[in-house]
Amino acid sequence: MSTEANRYPERAYMVQHQIMSRGIHDEPLLNALRRVPRHQFVPPDQAPAAYQDRPLPIGLGQTISQPYMVALMTEALHLTGDENVLEVGTGSGYQAAILGELARQITTIERHAPLADRTQRLLQDLGYANVTVVTGDGTLGWPASAPYDAILVTAGAPHIPSALQAQLADGGRLVIPVGSSGFQNLVRLTRHGPRFDQEDLGGCVFVPLIGKQGWGEDERRGWW
Ligand code: SAH
């Protein structure tokens, strides 16, 4: 089947059997998952598998997250449509597109410039005018557009970067996988003035967050 064929039925099936069946029922989020053409965010040879229940390789040793994980993390941000959002770890841009459907303004930061450039073009072609891709070390956040109502980190961190906490608006939510190289806990921090409430949302496995307030370049050896 051509990758350009209408694949809406596959997305509707994905939403029902991978997302709703696991307890996610937020209608705007489900609709975003039905709309965004996930097969266009993966390399052509992976397009036939785009709606399967797993992460997929996107080049440079990176992955596009499993659809359920995208849904779970997005739901945890409690978006209502008016938020200024930072994503750390642009990758394919799929998560950024989902955020673009559900919030006002998205800044997404990627450390690999070629990946960032390719994804910026794709998001432009697909009409996501409210998503800006920048290149840099996302463990330091992106102060130019701060404060953020929501921050989503889509790579595994050894600890919560203080720069991201500092760029969170009052009442804002930070969702981030924190743990060892092989396994992390999905953590949500909610800011109340100077206080940060922390909740555990369950286990997950992500590629490493590499940067000044993440893993060092050397520590990642053996990850993939
Ligand atoms: N959200 C992506 C999946 C990301 S995979 C998607 O929807 O496809 C994790 C990404 O984080 C990789 O592309 C990796 O290069 C990037 N990354 C790792 N450390 C980073 C850092 N410090 N700053 C920005 N990006 C980082």
Side-chain angles (χ1 to χ4, degrees), residues 62-63 87 89-92 95 109-112 137-138 154 208 210:
Q62 306 305 325
T63 55
E87 182 198 21
T90 309
S92 70
Q95 173 75 70
I109 181 164
E110 170 57 52
R111 64 188 287 269
H112 287 301
D137 177 5
T154 63
I210 296 166

Side-chain angles (χ1 to χ4, degrees), residues 98-199:
I98 295 287
L99 294 171
E101 296 267 349
L102 296 167
R104 177 173 50 83
Q105 180 61 47
I106 319 298
T107 304
T108 179
I109 181 164
E110 170 57 52
R111 64 188 287 269
H112 287 301
L115 205 49
D117 293 347
R118 192 180 77 194
T119 299
Q120 172 79 81
R121 274 196 302 277
L122 174 65
L123 289 166
Q124 237 161 37
D125 290 350
L126 292 174
Y128 288 99
N130 63 338
V131 181
T132 305
V133 182
V134 296
T135 301
D137 177 5
T139 66
L140 305 178
W142 190 256
S145 305
Y148 300 101
D149 306 299
I151 300 179
L152 179 57
V153 180
T154 63
H159 53 79
I160 299 174
S162 57
L164 298 183
Q165 287 186 238
Q167 289 170 37
L168 206 55
D170 196 13
R173 285 81 60 201
L174 163 63
V175 172
I176 178 169
V178 183
S180 66
S181 57
F183 185 81
Q184 301 96 37
N185 256 315
L186 194 60
V187 169
R188 174 171 55 202
L189 280 195
T190 305
R191 180 169 199 165
H192 301 285
R195 198 181 83 234
F196 293 86
D197 287 349
Q198 182 166 337
E199 297 155 273

